[in-house]
Amino acid sequence: MSDTAAALPGTALRYGTGAGRWVILATVLGSGITALDSTVVGIGLPAIGKEFHIGVDGLQWTVNAYTVTLAGLLLLGGSLGDRFGRRRVFLIGVVWFAVASLLCGIAPNAPTLVIARALQGVGGALLMPGSLAILEASFADGDRARAIGAWSGLGGVATAIGPFVGGYLINAVSWRLIFYINLPLAAAVIVIALRHVPESRDPRAAKSSDVTGAALAALGLAGVTYGLTEGPTHGWNSAAVLGSLFAGVLALALFLLVEARGRAPMMPLGVFRSRQFSAANAVTFIVYAALGGALFLVPVVLQSGAGYSPLQAGVSLLPITAIMLAFSARSAALSARIGPRLQMSVGPIVVAGGMALFTLVGTGGDYFTEVLPPVLLLAAGLAITVAPLTATALSAAPPEHAGVASAVNNTVARSGTLIAVAVLPAAAAITGTSYLHPAELVAGFHTAVLVAAVACAAGGVLAALTIRNRPAADRRPAATHHHSCPLDGPPQHADRGSVVVDELLRRPLADRDG
């Protein structure tokens, strides 16, 4: 067993037993809440904007308030679970997320909704790292990979049905139901976890948590995001915008200083000595920024520009999830055989082609001629890219930093999305209430997807220049287990010091040069 799993001797579970199924169900439902939420909120943005009479910046904050706190606190959430108990922190996160979801659902105005979304991000940061860490700590060696495979596959189902469920609820009743749906799921997780999930801790975990680092990271991301989001509205020379940008950059600089000098940093900067790790995360930032910025606008354009209903907009994007679920494991196996460089170079360019094809979308919005072609090409590019990109970032770090590498890569991806959602609409002149005017919105959308396509293609070029294949003799066969590849971030892997990455992907890819 791994060191983390050995924290509670004699509690190892077997796959296929009743006890094992209950633990898998609790973790799947827990992570599924966040997966479902992340996919349905985008579908609800036009309805939220119309009810609250808010502009594009309000829609941006509905998404980014959640992402700021999630990205800023993910690393802290994992370390708190290691120290105080993974089940305990996981349950706190579930309760927190549920309460915040209720606040989102009853929000009387846009500012209240934004605050509630930020609170949701805190809950997500507490429960997401613990979901997979509980599996890794609870199951016996021979059964752990199968449990993780089941968790991944079932978690992918939540991602797949999210747009359909969200679109239906918005169509039938109100956007508020996309938040209320979290409440019964959270209640089920709490009951199951209290009865069936064993507690586990990492005996080697630091005795203190890096709260200062987490606070600086969250404040830095919030400051930069506020400045970039509000600049087009209030003017780039306004004191509020300039002050926010300065404060954000200063906080991020202090964060790096704290992490460099701290005794138990949540992000040891030493992992970036690996050129492969740094390069993979740079590619991750660019690709996920382009992807996040484009996919923020697609549901809005389909509804407000092309006249789709929320349900139609949600269903129109299902091929992306279906293709990724079907082919991501095969993509990982291929990169294990030939090395990741080719797929990481070609994949982002294919994704860029899909983004560029979204310029076909007009105010008529015929699905089979305007929407399906870019969706299919985008999905193919993601299936080529995501698994080898994530695996490369994780396997480039030393084994003792496997969990940290996973959290860093996930944070980098979400930070890229955060910045893109703040910047891309303004870069394409989608500001104010322009999203309520179909022709103006569609014209701006065409500019935005072309900008995103250029950025994504640049990510492929960067990968071709910086990513190296490990010598064939040193590669090990990839695992055959399916793993989920959510669109808003790479797959969540386990806690610091874990070996779950090795079990799931067999560490096949990158050259450890750090």
Side-chain angles (χ1 to χ4, degrees):
M1 296 180 65
S2 70
D3 291 331
T4 50
L8 291 177
T11 60
L13 301 177
R14 308 298 303 188
Y15 184 83
T17 63
R21 292 191 188 98
W22 281 117
V23 173
I24 292 172
L25 179 61
T27 57
V28 165
L29 289 177
S31 61
I33 293 172
T34 59
L36 188 67
D37 189 83
S38 65
T39 55
V40 301
V41 170
I43 304 298
L45 289 177
I48 293 170
K50 289 175 183 177
E51 178 167 334
F52 289 147
H53 306 289
I54 55 177
V56 173
D57 59 335
L59 301 185
Q60 289 169 292
W61 276 116
T62 302
V63 173
N64 278 347
Y66 175 82
T67 311
V68 163
T69 52
L70 179 65
L73 300 176
L74 264 177
L75 286 161
L76 179 63
S79 66
L80 289 174
D82 288 349
R83 182 183 175 195
F84 295 108
R86 299 182 181 97
R87 186 185 72 164
R88 175 183 297 176
V89 174
F90 173 75
L91 281 172
I92 292 172
V94 171
V95 173
W96 192 306
F97 196 90
V99 172
S101 296
L102 176 61
L103 294 177
C104 289
I106 64 176
N109 50 48
T112 304
L113 177 61
V114 168
I115 293 171
R117 287 283 288 161
L119 292 174
Q120 261 194 322
V122 177
L126 293 174
L127 77 88
M128 286 174 64
S131 175
L132 187 52
I134 286 171
L135 290 180
E136 198 253 339
S138 300
F139 279 85
D141 286 354
D143 294 78
R144 194 174 301 126
R146 296 177 67 191
I148 292 168
W151 172 88
S152 301
L154 293 171
V157 172
T159 303
I161 67 173
F164 176 82
V165 171
Y168 174 79
L169 293 175
I170 296 166
N171 240 29
V173 186
S174 166
W175 61 266
R176 296 179 185 275
L177 264 68
I178 65 178
F179 296 108
Y180 292 147
I181 196 175
N182 294 330
L183 302 181
L185 294 175
V189 173
I190 293 166
V191 171
I192 295 169
L194 287 174
R195 292 184 178 181
H196 300 285
V197 175
E199 183 60 282
S200 63
R201 296 176 179 83
D202 184 353
R204 303 175 305 171
K207 300 305 180 184
S208 61
S209 299
D210 188 8
V211 177
T212 301
L216 287 170
L219 289 173
L221 290 172
V224 171
T225 303
Y226 180 87
L228 294 175
T229 302
E230 300 299 329
T233 302
H234 298 291
W236 294 104
N237 292 326
S238 72
V241 170
L242 290 176
S244 176
L245 289 172
F246 176 78
V249 171
L250 178 61
L252 291 176
L254 291 173
F255 165 73
L256 294 177
L257 183 63
V258 168
E259 298 308 287
R261 296 184 175 182
R263 292 184 177 180
M266 64 180 189
M267 189 179 77
L269 299 184
V271 296
F272 290 98
R273 294 195 192 102
S274 166
R275 291 187 296 274
Q276 187 88 331
F277 181 77
S278 297
N281 278 285
V283 175
T284 296
F285 183 88
I286 294 171
V287 170
Y288 274 90
L291 181 66
L295 291 183
F296 166 74
L297 292 171
V298 168
V300 177
V301 170
L302 291 180
Q303 293 176 69
S304 298
Y308 282 39
S309 70
L311 179 58
Q312 290 171 327
V315 172
S316 69
L317 300 177
L318 283 180
I320 297 177
T321 303
I323 289 173
M324 290 182 68
L325 287 173
F327 294 104
S328 62
R330 293 176 176 85
S331 178
L334 176 63
S335 68
R337 290 196 299 271
I338 68 174
R341 185 168 180 259
L342 178 61
Q343 286 168 259
M344 287 178 61
S345 303
V346 172
I349 294 175
V350 177
V351 173
M355 290 178 180
L357 272 185
F358 272 116
T359 55
L360 295 173
V361 176
T363 53
D366 180 76
Y367 182 70
F368 291 102
T369 61
E370 297 181 11
V371 180
L372 185 59
V375 164
L376 292 177
L377 190 59
L378 180 69
L382 290 173
I384 294 169
T385 306
V386 171
L389 175 58
T390 305
T392 301
L394 301 185
S395 58
E400 65 271 16
H401 289 310
V404 171
S406 171
V408 167
N409 187 243
N410 207 280
T411 301
V412 166
R414 294 178 189 279
S415 298
T417 298
L418 183 69
I419 299 301
V421 170
V423 171
L424 189 59
I430 302 175
T431 56
T433 58
S434 61
Y435 73 95
L436 298 176
H437 305 284
E440 187 178 347
L441 173 61
V442 168
F445 174 66
H446 290 171
T447 301
V449 291
L450 289 175
V451 171
V454 171
C456 199
V461 173
L462 178 63
L465 295 174
T466 59
I467 298 298
R468 296 183 301 165
N469 290 332
R470 190 174 183 176
D474 295 337
R475 296 182 203 138
R476 282 178 279 175
T480 58
H481 311 294
H482 293 265
H483 54 288
S484 64
C485 296
L487 299 184
D488 62 333
Q492 274 290 331
H493 292 286
D495 50 297
R496 89 182 50 223
S498 79
V499 295
V500 68
V501 179
D502 188 59
E503 291 168 340
L504 187 57
L505 299 172
R506 301 297 186 197
R507 304 185 63 82
L509 302 174
D511 199 9
R512 294 197 193 108
D513 52 348

